[in-house]
Amino acid sequence: MEILIDLSSVRSPVVFPQYSDSYKAVNNLGNTLVIGIPGAGKTEICTQRGEKNFDLGLKTLALMFSRSSRDVYKARVPSAEVYTIHSYCYQDVGWKQNYQDLLYRFILKEPKEEYDEVIVDELQDISPLQLDAINSIPKKTLFAVGDPFQSIYIGEWARSHYDSPAMGQKIFDKLSKNSTVISLHENWRSNQYMVDVLDSFIPRDMVPKGPKELEVTGIFTRNHREEKEVANFLNALGLSYKIWVNSDRDNPSFKSIGIDPKIDLMVMHCCKGREYKRSFIFDWDGSTEEDLNLLYTSLARSAEMAYIVGYKCMGNLVPKVQRIPLDDFGLLL
C-alpha cells in the first residue's frame, strides 16, 4: 500500500495588496483575531505573520491545525517553532493515556517557555481544554485565525476522537473581547459561480479572486460506509483514485488506487483545508450545527464547480448548487 503525505499546499507566497484586509491582518500590532471566509488564505496569513515576526526578531510559537499546514509553515520559516497543539504538548510533557490527560498535564506544568507571540490556525476547531492549554503559555500577544462556519468537530465524532468537541463560534466571542478583529471577504480559491453557491447558503459578501488552476476532483461522503460504497463504484468503472486511509487529522494520508489518480475520496470530516477543481458531495439527512458546517466546508473546497449527489434534505439548503441523481454521478467523472 502506498501512503502519500500531501504537501501540495506548499507554494509560493501570496502577495496581498497593500492596505487590503489580509495585509492589515498580517501587520496588525497586538492581539489579533482574523475571521476568514473560505479561500481567504488563512494558513497563508499565519505563515506570513510568522515570517514577519522572524524578520522582527520576535520569539514566536505557531500552533497549526495539521501536520501538512505545519510543514507549509516550516518550509517558509525553517527555524520556526511550529507544531500541532498536541505535538507541542507532547514534546513538553511526553505522551500520556489520552489527549485529555496530555492537555491537563501540560496546563499544570510549570514553568513554561515564554513567547512574544503565539499564532493559532483554524481557531474554530479548538476545544475548551485546548484553549486552556494555549492560555497557559506565557506570551505577549495572540494571533488567531479561523472561520466559525467551518467548525466541523463539534459533535460526537470529536468527542470520541479527541478531548472534547470544538468551541466553534464561542471561542470567537470570547477572544474578540481583547483583540482587534479583522474580517476577510476575498476568496482566492473559487470562481463567481462557487461564491454565489456559498453565499446562497450563508450570505457573507464574498469577493471572488479565483479560480485557482486545479486538476483533481474531490468526492465527499458523510460516513465511512458510504465512502466504501463509492470506492466500489469507482472500482467498477475502472477509475483511478486516492482514498483517505488515516482518520488522524494531524497526519493526513491517502492510499493510491490505479495510475495517476485525479480523484480524491474521503469522508467530509477529512476535507478541511483541501482544494479541488470540482467536488461531488453525497447528500444526507441531517439537522445539527455540525451537519450545516460540514456541508458549507465541503462546498467551499471547490474552485469551479460543485454537485450535490442525491435528493435528501441537506441539499435543499443551498438554492444555487447543481443537484444530480446518483445515476448521473458516474457520467460526470
Side-chain angles (χ1 to χ4, degrees):
M1 181 175 70
E2 181 185 7
I3 302 296
L4 304 173
I5 302 299
D6 180 22
L7 295 179
S8 61
S9 55
V10 178
R11 56 174 67 91
S12 300
V14 174
V15 179
F16 296 121
Q18 193 171 11
Y19 306 120
S20 67
D21 289 333
S22 300
Y23 180 89
K24 292 176 185 176
V26 170
N27 292 279
N28 186 64
L29 300 178
N31 292 329
T32 307
L33 175 59
V34 182
I35 302 175
I37 61 167
K42 293 181 286 294
T43 300
E44 173 66 25
I45 285 172
C46 288
T47 304
Q48 289 196 22
R49 179 72 168 204
E51 290 174 319
K52 180 179 178 63
N53 286 355
F54 176 79
D55 291 341
L56 293 173
L58 300 178
K59 184 176 176 59
T60 302
L61 169 66
L63 300 174
M64 307 301 283
F65 170 72
S66 66
R67 294 183 187 181
S68 58
S69 57
R70 175 203 65 185
D71 291 343
V72 171
Y73 188 110
K74 191 73 172 177
R76 299 254 295 277
V77 192
S79 61
E81 291 189 60
V82 53
Y83 304 86
T84 65
I85 187 167
H86 293 117
S87 66
Y88 180 71
C89 294
Y90 171 75
Q91 62 86 34
D92 206 28
V93 300
W95 179 247
K96 303 302 174 185
Q97 295 180 355
N98 52 49
Y99 283 125
Q100 190 174 54
D101 187 49
L102 172 68
L103 292 167
Y104 274 129
R105 289 177 180 269
F106 175 79
I107 292 166
L108 295 173
K109 178 182 178 287
E110 293 291 348
K112 293 186 177 73
E113 191 167 358
E114 297 184 12
Y115 295 92
D116 291 309
E117 183 163 271
V118 173
I119 295 173
V120 179
D121 189 23
E122 301 288 6
L123 182 68
Q124 72 278 356
D125 294 318
I126 297 296
S127 71
L129 194 56
Q130 289 170 346
L131 180 59
D132 288 342
I134 293 167
N135 286 338
S136 75
I137 301 171
K139 56 191 172 297
K140 295 178 182 177
T141 59
L142 177 68
F143 184 90
V145 180
D147 180 3
F149 294 105
Q150 295 188 71
S151 183
I152 61 175
Y153 301 104
I154 53 178
E156 290 305 312
W157 188 93
R159 191 182 303 278
S160 64
H161 282 73
Y162 297 100
D163 56 281
S164 67
M167 295 179 69
Q169 179 64 52
K170 294 177 183 177
I171 195 169
F172 292 86
D173 296 338
K174 188 177 184 68
L175 295 186
S176 65
K177 297 175 183 178
N178 298 302
S179 304
T180 299
V181 179
I182 299 175
S183 297
L184 309 178
H185 295 278
E186 294 178 325
N187 184 322
W188 300 87
R189 176 186 303 137
S190 303
N191 61 10
Q192 183 69 59
Y193 170 75
M194 283 309 309
V195 164
D196 289 344
V197 166
L198 290 166
D199 272 348
S200 75
F201 183 18
I202 301 176
R204 301 181 74 182
D205 299 323
M206 289 191 197
V207 179
K209 295 292 185 178
K212 286 187 176 180
E213 294 184 6
L214 304 169
E215 293 183 344
V216 178
T217 293
I219 302 175
F220 313 131
T221 65
R222 184 64 178 87
N223 55 55
H224 288 291
R225 176 191 56 77
E226 193 172 54
E227 179 189 44
K228 185 176 180 179
E229 292 174 355
V230 175
N232 291 336
F233 181 77
L234 297 177
N235 291 336
L237 292 177
L239 294 174
S240 298
Y241 62 96
K242 290 188 294 182
I243 185 169
W244 191 279
V245 295
N246 190 339
S247 61
D248 182 357
R249 74 184 186 190
D250 286 350
N251 186 25
S253 54
F254 287 88
K255 176 184 177 182
S256 184
I257 307 295
I259 300 173
D260 192 25
K262 291 292 189 290
I263 297 172
D264 286 356
L265 170 62
M266 68 197 74
V267 294
M268 294 174 185
H269 276 103
C270 298
C271 74
K272 175 72 71 64
R274 307 194 63 81
E275 297 179 311
Y276 294 98
K277 181 181 181 70
R278 58 182 185 156
S279 61
F280 294 87
I281 301 163
F282 278 75
D283 205 356
W284 75 101
D285 292 321
S287 59
T288 67
E289 182 183 358
E290 184 177 49
D291 286 317
L292 296 173
N293 290 353
L294 276 169
L295 178 56
Y296 187 75
T297 303
S298 298
L299 287 166
R301 301 309 96 207
S302 299
E304 298 183 17
M305 190 68 189
Y307 302 91
I308 291 184
V309 183
Y311 293 93
K312 296 183 179 179
C313 76
M314 293 301 295
N316 295 330
L317 302 175
V318 192
K320 293 192 176 182
V321 74
Q322 184 165 341
R323 305 182 68 178
I324 61 172
L326 182 61
D327 292 343
D328 288 351
F329 169 59
L331 301 174
L332 292 171
L333 290 173

